Amino acid sequence: MERESEKAKPHLIFAYGTLKRGFPNHYLMEELRSKDDAVLLGSYVTNEPYPLVCGPHGIPYLIKLPGSGHRVKGEVYAVSEEAVVVLDEFEGVSAGYYERLAVTAAEEKEGGGKVEAEAYWGHRRFGEVLWKMKGEVGLREYGEKEAREYVRKEDRSGGRNTILDLVP
């Protein structure tokens, strides 16, 4: 747990993929932390099982189908309003790649409490389609194996995420 800071951080964000410590896009969380816009609260797991799958370019998607998949491991960050704007832009919320929606998560440590956070869920337009394409088999945690398949935005053909090609 990091020290408390002066800037208000009213949002809790559950990071389950490339934004986690040790993964390709964690630099963004580090930048937010350096500006006092984010504080790591710790390791958490979703209260309910959900599908976590990787789509095109090895991009992880948590899919809002409660009761399917597994309880997913991740990290919870307390973030400022400014950080939410940055994260929404990074995750492509306005482009329809992700939706920032509620999730309940529990601390991984013994006797840990629960928090009401938000996660970046694969958009409902393609989430269930992707889950079915993956044979309804998901991950418990985005790990090193999955990260090796990840292609950064700047290295993608046309600089885009082709997940939207899955839907008409």
Side-chain angles (χ1 to χ4, degrees):
M1 180 101 147
E2 297 180 3
R3 65 175 177 75
E4 292 299 313
S5 63
E6 300 301 315
K7 191 179 261 186
K9 296 174 188 66
H11 297 273
L12 297 180
I13 298 291
F14 178 76
Y16 58 85
T18 65
L19 293 174
K20 294 189 311 179
R21 291 173 291 176
F23 291 94
N25 294 317
H26 183 68
Y27 72 88
L28 181 59
M29 300 310 291
E30 287 298 321
E31 286 175 12
L32 293 171
R33 287 175 53 190
S34 73
K35 296 174 185 172
D36 194 27
D37 282 311
V39 175
L40 174 65
L41 298 184
S43 296
Y44 284 73
V45 63
T46 59
N47 201 47
E48 291 186 66
Y50 292 101
L52 172 60
V53 296
C54 289
H57 309 295
I59 300 169
Y61 294 96
L62 189 59
I63 301 171
K64 192 115 175 141
L65 293 171
S68 299
H70 305 282
R71 291 180 71 203
V72 175
K73 292 182 179 184
E75 299 170 345
V76 171
Y77 290 83
V79 302
S80 68
E81 294 287 347
E82 294 87 352
V84 168
V85 171
V86 169
L87 291 167
D88 281 359
E89 173 66 24
F90 179 81
E91 297 289 6
V93 170
S94 65
Y97 298 133
Y98 289 92
E99 298 177 275
R100 182 171 36 87
L101 302 169
V103 64
T104 303
E107 282 185 276
E108 274 198 297
K109 66 182 181 186
E110 190 66 35
K114 292 181 184 174
V115 296
E116 295 300 320
E118 294 173 298
Y120 288 94
W121 301 86
H123 197 282
R124 68 190 79 187
R125 291 184 309 161
F126 64 79
E128 194 167 350
V129 170
L130 181 58
W131 176 232
K132 290 185 184 311
M133 283 178 60
K134 295 294 182 171
E136 298 186 2
V137 175
L139 305 166
R140 291 182 192 282
E141 181 174 23
Y142 180 81
E144 290 179 23
K145 176 179 176 257
E146 292 76 29
R148 284 194 293 274
E149 303 296 318
Y150 179 74
V151 179
R152 292 181 179 276
K153 288 180 185 180
E154 59 271 14
D155 297 330
R156 297 177 199 152
S157 175
R160 62 189 281 270
N161 178 346
T162 57
I163 193 72
L164 299 181
D165 294 344
L166 297 178
V167 291

